[in-house]
């Protein structure tokens, strides 16, 4: 069974950035990354991710249509065991409070600290091993 990290962001350059930052991990098959351009697309992927071990969801907060904060309780209803880390350009206390109260396991601010994110992914991988 493959290990999966789902990244949800409406910005098209995010996929290229993440694939570049984690290229060795992805090439070696350490884990897979899938990308959703909207909250609705992410919910569909989460609902059908049974063939993969979904270990982490990373979601932007500000997206058109359904925001990441609106998606959060829906994801938690589908897969309560999967941690969700929200990503935002606005790391203010109110945004963090809303994310944590909504069930998020953490909040990363943009620009993303990829060393911190790698640590989060490594912890999740250790738990599945």
């Amino acid at each position: 069974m493959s290990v999966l990290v789902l990244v949800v962001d409406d910005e098209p350059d995010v996929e290229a950035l993440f694939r570049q930052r984690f290229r060795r991990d992805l090439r070696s098959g350490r884990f897979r990354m899938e990308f959703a351009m909207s909250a609705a697309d992410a919910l569909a992927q989460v609902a059908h991710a049974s063939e993969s071990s979904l270990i982490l969801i990373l979601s932007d907060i500000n997206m058109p249509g359904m925001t990441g904060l609106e998606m959060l309780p829906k994801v938690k209803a589908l897969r309560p065991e999967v941690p969700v880390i929200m990503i935002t350009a606005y790391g203010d206390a109110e945004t963090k409070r809303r994310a944590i109260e909504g069930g998020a396991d953490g909040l990363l601010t943009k620009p993303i600290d990829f060393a911190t994110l790698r640590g989060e992914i490594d912890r999740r991988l250790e738990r599945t091993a």
Side-chain angles (χ1 to χ4, degrees):
M1 182 178 291
S2 63
V3 176
L4 174 64
V5 174
L6 176 62
V7 180
V8 187
D9 198 307
D10 62 308
E11 295 293 327
D13 58 339
V14 168
E15 181 174 352
L17 175 63
F18 274 74
R19 288 195 184 285
Q20 195 277 328
R21 290 292 184 146
F22 294 102
R23 69 184 176 280
R24 287 189 183 108
D25 298 293
L26 298 173
R27 244 187 269 146
S28 71
R30 188 167 180 241
F31 58 86
R32 291 184 314 114
M33 277 190 162
E34 290 188 6
F35 297 84
M37 296 286 292
S38 70
D41 184 26
L43 289 170
Q45 288 188 42
V46 168
H48 295 99
S50 59
E51 70 280 352
S52 298
S53 177
L54 183 59
I55 62 163
L56 183 62
I57 298 170
L58 304 166
S59 178
D60 190 20
I61 289 179
N62 294 316
M63 296 183 288
M66 186 187 315
T67 69
L69 290 175
E70 293 167 336
M71 178 193 75
L72 185 56
K74 297 175 188 309
V75 165
K76 287 301 198 173
L78 287 170
R79 300 287 296 272
E81 78 285 0
V82 177
V84 179
I85 296 176
M86 304 307 291
I87 301 171
T88 183
Y90 313 101
D92 60 277
E94 176 62 15
T95 300
K96 185 171 187 171
R97 182 192 63 75
R98 289 180 59 212
I100 299 303
E101 285 179 359
D105 294 85
L107 182 76
L108 293 175
T109 55
K110 293 179 180 180
I112 295 170
D113 178 345
F114 281 95
T116 300
L117 180 54
R118 178 171 296 284
E120 290 287 343
I121 292 171
D122 288 346
R123 278 190 288 286
R124 304 309 190 255
L125 288 169
E126 288 170 9
R127 290 179 191 159
T128 62

